[in-house]
Amino acid sequence: MPRFRLIATGGTIASRHSPLGLLAGATGAELLAQSGLGALDVEIDDFTTQGSYAFSLADLLALARRTRDALAGGADAVVITHGTDTMEESAFLLDLFHGDRRPVVLTGAQRPFDSPAPDGPANLAAAFAVAASAHARGLGSLLVFDGSAWQARGVRKVETLASGAFGSPGRGPCLRVAPDGVLPLGAQPRPPAFDLDAVDELPRVDVVAAYAGCDGALLDAAVAAGARGVVLQALGAGNACPAVVQTVKRLVARGVPVLVCSRAFSGPVTPLYTAGGGADLDRAGAVFAGDLSPWQARLLLSVALTHKPEDPGPVISQWLRRPSPDGV
């Protein structure tokens, strides 16, 4: 029987109704008992109890260390219960540091622990099924929800309240949980992991959206507030406007890296247009982040800044383009 570590962090799956609103409080043992899984070799770690909307970068880095410690302590797989709001970010950050073939599986719920029909028990049971499956090995950090499993890169919350909360636009799930077992679908290659020991803290990186009539004021404000880098959530395939291009050019010249993503859900960014478009952002020194969401690109830039603070662009470009030869 595999040895599991269940790391409980709160979220809707652990929440009960209170006079002020839903409040996380159920322990990992309570979640495990509610799931009806029966006899499993599970060590429970109640890491924190909060909604994921309240997580800080320090919390995410601490969760990455706790996950690594669980694997170093002999766990065959780690299952993490987590709020859905920022689960896509936690899964991605854990994946950036996960250079191990053993599965790390995140799950949660859209309906609370004390709901008349909670979805958490089925999601947790599916997460353990995936964690125990040979098909999950080498896929890195996985997000399991509503019967499907997604690799961390590209996964997004696509529904605010519905039970099918997650998707991976342009990529799709990698595993399906069926009554007779876990079925493989399609896996994407993974770049080599970053060195967690080289990271003391994650520097601040802000996301600034482009929209019709925008200018560079919010980019400047982010840097003035302490951002070491900025992700531009650009239009279409990576466009902005002349005023934003000029601001990006000035920030890059000051040593502030700018990553370009899209506000569209699917497809990569690429430098095509001039007169304020992506071709001008490219010439201004911005780095195009493929099809990463702005929220995942923010974490990639933050980690890259810890490894090469003076010029993280090549680190990011290499990560985007170079899969690991052995899938880890």
Side-chain angles (χ1 to χ4, degrees):
M1 180 181 295
R3 294 179 58 196
F4 298 104
R5 180 75 60 88
L6 172 62
I7 302 178
T9 73
T12 299
I13 192 172
S15 292
R16 296 182 173 96
H17 290 83
S18 82
L20 296 178
L22 292 173
L23 180 65
T27 65
E30 289 178 291
L31 297 178
L32 196 61
Q34 189 191 51
S35 70
L37 283 167
L40 289 176
D41 185 0
V42 183
E43 182 178 351
I44 298 172
D45 177 3
D46 287 303
F47 174 73
T48 187
T49 309
Q50 59 181 316
S52 66
Y53 46 79
F55 279 11
S56 67
L57 287 177
D59 292 329
L60 298 189
L61 192 57
L63 180 60
R65 297 191 194 285
R66 190 69 67 90
T67 302
R68 181 189 61 179
D69 291 346
L71 293 170
D76 295 310
V78 176
V79 174
I80 301 171
T81 55
H82 195 289
T84 60
D85 282 356
T86 62
M87 196 188 302
E88 66 198 70
E89 293 166 72
S90 294
F92 184 72
L93 184 69
L94 293 174
D95 196 62
L96 289 177
F97 295 122
H98 187 47
D100 192 302
R101 294 190 63 81
R102 288 172 289 180
V104 172
V105 181
L106 291 85
T107 195
Q110 290 283 74
R111 297 187 294 275
F113 181 83
D114 62 354
S115 166
D119 56 329
N123 284 338
L124 187 57
F128 274 101
V130 169
S133 173
H135 296 306
R137 292 184 62 83
L139 299 184
S141 173
L142 299 170
L143 193 158
V144 172
F145 222 88
D146 200 34
S148 294
W150 294 268
Q151 289 180 266
R153 182 175 178 176
V155 69
R156 290 192 179 196
K157 186 171 183 180
V158 296
E159 288 280 352
T160 59
L161 297 174
S163 59
F166 290 92
S168 188
R171 294 176 182 269
C174 61
L175 302 171
R176 179 75 37 84
V177 182
D180 57 347
V182 175
L183 309 176
L185 298 176
Q188 56 182 310
R190 299 178 58 236
F194 287 95
D195 182 7
L196 182 56
D197 289 328
V199 181
D200 294 324
E201 63 179 5
L202 291 170
R204 174 173 175 169
V205 173
D206 287 340
V207 177
V208 174
Y211 45 86
C214 67
D215 59 22
L218 294 180
L219 290 166
D220 283 328
V223 175
R228 294 267 307 280
V230 182
V231 174
L232 176 63
Q233 187 180 18
L235 307 169
N239 304 306
C241 66
V244 168
V245 170
Q246 289 306 310
T247 304
V248 168
K249 184 176 181 180
R250 176 164 41 80
L251 292 179
V252 171
R254 287 174 47 192
V256 179
V258 177
L259 247 61
V260 177
C261 297
S262 178
R263 70 181 195 179
F265 258 33
S266 184
V269 287
T270 186
L272 295 174
Y273 297 89
T274 188
D280 293 343
L281 287 170
D282 184 47
R283 283 188 285 270
V287 176
F288 283 66
D291 66 348
L292 279 184
S293 73
W295 330 116
Q296 294 191 341
R298 165 182 172 256
L299 294 170
L300 176 60
L301 177 52
S302 186
V303 172
L305 279 164
T306 67
H307 282 66
K308 195 173 182 184
E310 69 282 359
D311 186 16
V315 175
I316 292 168
S317 296
Q318 184 183 51
W319 186 92
L320 289 168
R321 298 187 180 119
R322 184 165 67 92
S324 172
D326 60 0
V328 174

